[in-house]
Amino acid sequence: MPRTSILALAGIALVLAGCGSSKSSSSSSSTSAAASSATATPSASSSPFLANLGSVSKVASTVPANGDVNPYGIVFVSSSVGKLQAGQMLISNFNAKEGAKESGQGTGTTIVQVSTAGKVSPFATIDAKTLPVPCPGGVGLTTALNILPGGYVVVGSLPTTDGKSATAKYGCLIVLDSKGRTVETIASKNIQGPWDSTAKSEGSKTTLFVSNALNGGAAKGIHTIDNSTVLRIELESGENQTPKVLSETVIANGIPWADSAEALVLGPTGLALGSNGTLYVASTDGDRILAISEAMTRTTPAAKGGTVLTEGGHLKEPLGMVLAPNGNIITSNGGDGNMVETTPAGQQVAVQTADKKTGAGSLFGLAIDPEGKGIYFVDDGENTLNFLHEGQPAQTASATPATPATKSISLSVHTLPTVGAVLVNADGRTLYTFAPDNHSKVTCVSSCATLWPPLKLASGEAAAGPPQLKASLLGSDPDPEGGSVVTYAGWPLYTYEADSTAGQDNGQAIEANGGRWYVIAPSGKVITTH
């Protein structure tokens, strides 16, 4: 992904008052690449992880002796063995040296090791001619980078001959030992442009998830196609035991990818495995985060990549992905220099500027600091490893440095199978209107409000929501029992106690407490269908 010069890095956090969009809510030890390095249990009360990360520091250049550029993958080393040093990071390069005979995307061959103090050492240079088994197309190292039991390193290869997707081949997964020597090549019909990966290891067994971002379209002259996949590979490895593939299962298909002159390909990229077994996927084309339920055990592929957890909003070509210590999902934008934090319920809760360059961003792989003090990330415009950490205080989206932030209560949007997009609260619970309110005032009180709790505003709070919601339709009405209730298009909003989790609409179109209850669309239209 060649880049022009980058402006000075900066980190100004904007904690969003519920900004972002939500389409659906679905949600051990773990080793990972630019994906999940933590599987913390989500906490609805946790503050955004990005909120206090206001400074960016350069750690080191990632350019090795041969001049390879465009760092993509990043993974922490957990145990020292061979050349691997615990607490340091491995970083893969996607491009050969600029100006070289075969320079361009999909031609990088090196992995470097970098300490948190900035010490850089070579880990491996991979020669396509000496691989144990040829890799279809050659070598071009991607963001897919993990460390398996026994100190084996597995890295994705999506090779090209001229940096264009039309010459890209399916590639493979390349396995190296702890000394950086290639020992195995994993190639199959299911591995087609391995773009990123994440892994969970228990004992000698590893479950490796790989996002495929090619699937053969460009070679046929097709420049946008919904045929990318996510693959689950079960592996076994250990000390002096080369990784053995036990099984391969496609767990999601129908994900879009698009030909891109600048980025080579826009497709499924970052992956992160939630503590409940949901695999999150950054779908770069479409600005989405997808959720694949039961990713560890499912035997059939989730159509269209699974459920759309969130889309649009502050997501602009999301690439790298990692889970924060609070269980939220952090993604790096390829379309600008921002990182975005999203809850497992699909609410975008914070955005952090890590690179001030506008337009095509330079962020890719992410890794959480083992002590939880920040995020390490690669900048493929500067060819550096950087650290986003605590610094200047975060600002709310609506505040200026001289103006105190207004507290807000957040609404979002969720797509229900029967009625489409509807309003939900910050926890993803469906919101309802009550027909007797007559589009004007709160009438559900006393025992009614016990079963249908109104969405209340505390003193000094205002309602806020993602771009799909019209700010002009947000408001509030006095509650006869005290305080105010959030309204949308004039309708007071309520949740329903019989909806035990996000994504349910058990109250839709039922008659209770003296009137009918209906969900409401982002347009402000009350939906009366069952």
Side-chain angles (χ1 to χ4, degrees):
M1 200 179 289
R3 307 292 187 196
T4 55
S5 61
I6 308 295
L7 297 178
L9 294 174
I12 301 176
L14 301 177
V15 180
L16 306 180
C19 308
S21 59
S22 173
K23 296 287 282 189
S24 179
S25 61
S26 331
S27 277
S28 77
S29 63
S30 173
T31 57
S32 63
S36 171
S37 66
T39 53
T41 301
S43 172
S45 61
S46 298
S47 61
F49 181 65
L50 291 177
N52 296 316
L53 306 184
S55 295
V56 174
S57 299
K58 175 183 174 180
V59 178
S61 167
T62 57
V63 180
N66 73 349
D68 274 3
V69 292
N70 279 53
Y72 271 16
I74 177 173
V75 63
F76 264 101
V77 179
S78 59
S79 301
S80 295
V81 57
K83 291 166 64 175
L84 297 173
Q85 297 297 309
Q88 298 192 13
M89 289 159 276
L90 295 183
I91 296 171
S92 54
N93 286 299
F94 189 55
N95 289 27
K97 179 180 179 180
E98 294 180 2
K101 181 179 179 180
E102 294 183 350
S103 66
Q105 302 170 101
T107 56
T109 60
T110 53
I111 300 173
V112 296
Q113 187 168 208
V114 185
S115 73
T116 56
K119 179 183 177 182
V120 181
S121 59
F123 176 73
T125 299
I126 302 173
D127 185 349
K129 297 178 182 178
T130 61
L131 291 174
V133 176
C135 182
V139 175
L141 304 186
T142 67
T143 325
L145 184 63
N146 298 92
I147 301 175
L148 310 180
Y152 291 95
V153 176
V154 58
V155 61
S157 176
L158 196 169
T160 75
T161 58
D162 58 4
K164 308 293 184 181
S165 62
T167 67
K169 302 300 181 182
Y170 283 168
C172 64
L173 298 174
I174 299 170
V175 181
L176 306 97
D177 64 16
S178 61
K179 295 182 180 179
R181 301 173 299 197
T182 54
V183 295
E184 187 178 3
T185 303
I186 302 174
S188 75
K189 65 178 182 179
N190 294 320
I191 299 174
Q192 299 184 10
W195 204 217
D196 204 348
S197 62
T198 191
K200 180 176 181 179
S201 296
E202 294 180 346
S204 63
K205 301 292 181 63
T206 297
T207 301
L208 179 70
F209 296 97
V210 179
S211 55
N212 290 297
L214 188 60
N215 296 76
K220 302 175 183 178
I222 302 172
H223 299 291
T224 303
I225 189 168
D226 296 345
N227 70 345
S228 287
T229 62
V230 175
L231 176 66
R232 184 182 69 224
I233 305 176
E234 303 293 341
L235 296 153
E236 184 171 20
S237 65
E239 185 177 356
N240 299 319
Q241 180 184 357
T242 303
K244 177 183 178 181
V245 175
L246 303 178
S247 66
E248 293 183 5
T249 306
V250 175
I251 63 168
N253 58 20
I255 307 171
W257 75 268
D259 203 9
S260 172
E262 183 184 50
L264 185 69
V265 62
L266 302 178
T269 308
L271 303 171
L273 182 65
S275 59
N276 63 351
T278 296
L279 184 72
Y280 303 107
V281 184
S283 182
T284 310
D285 185 58
D287 301 330
R288 295 173 173 174
I289 295 177
L290 305 174
I292 305 170
S293 62
E294 301 177 329
M296 293 287 291
T297 56
R298 69 180 306 126
T299 57
T300 57
K304 297 183 180 180
T307 302
V308 177
L309 186 73
T310 184
E311 66 180 337
H314 290 272
L315 295 176
K316 299 185 186 303
E317 298 182 5
L319 292 170
M321 178 182 285
V322 71
L323 285 192
N326 62 4
N328 287 346
I329 306 152
I330 309 292
T331 46
S332 57
N333 280 341
D336 58 25
N338 293 338
M339 297 182 194
V340 180
E341 182 169 352
T342 303
T343 69
Q347 182 185 5
Q348 296 174 26
V349 293
V351 60
Q352 169 69 56
T353 299
D355 188 321
K356 292 191 71 174
K357 180 182 177 181
T358 58
S362 297
L363 308 184
F364 223 113
L366 305 173
I368 299 293
D369 172 63
E371 297 181 358
K373 295 181 178 180
I375 303 175
Y376 288 91
F377 66 94
V378 291
D379 185 309
D380 66 21
E382 292 282 329
N383 298 305
T384 56
L385 170 67
N386 302 312
F387 185 42
L388 174 65
H389 54 90
E390 289 188 3
Q392 62 190 63
Q395 300 172 26
T396 64
S398 60
T400 64
T403 304
T406 300
K407 294 181 179 179
S408 62
I409 184 167
S410 301
L411 283 72
S412 196
V413 177
H414 185 115
T415 300
L416 297 174
T418 56
V419 293
V422 301
L423 270 63
V424 297
N425 69 6
D427 296 324
R429 296 277 298 277
T430 301
L431 294 170
Y432 297 88
T433 63
F434 187 36
D437 284 352
N438 198 28
H439 197 266
S440 59
K441 64 180 181 179
V442 177
T443 63
C444 178
V445 294
S446 189
S447 60
C448 174
T450 301
L451 185 60
W452 303 86
L455 185 62
K456 297 291 288 283
L457 285 173
S459 178
E461 281 189 327
Q468 301 104 306
L469 299 188
K470 299 178 181 180
S472 61
L473 298 183
L474 284 167
S476 63
D477 278 341
D479 187 338
E481 297 185 328
S484 299
V485 176
V486 177
T487 62
Y488 195 71
W491 286 100
L493 301 175
Y494 308 82
T495 55
Y496 183 35
E497 285 296 284
D499 289 343
S500 58
T501 62
Q504 295 183 343
D505 60 345
N506 295 312
Q508 172 60 2
I510 70 172
E511 185 165 355
N513 299 90
R516 288 278 180 180
W517 296 86
Y518 300 110
V519 293
I520 186 169
S523 65
K525 179 183 177 181
V526 172
I527 302 173
T528 58
T529 55
H530 291 261

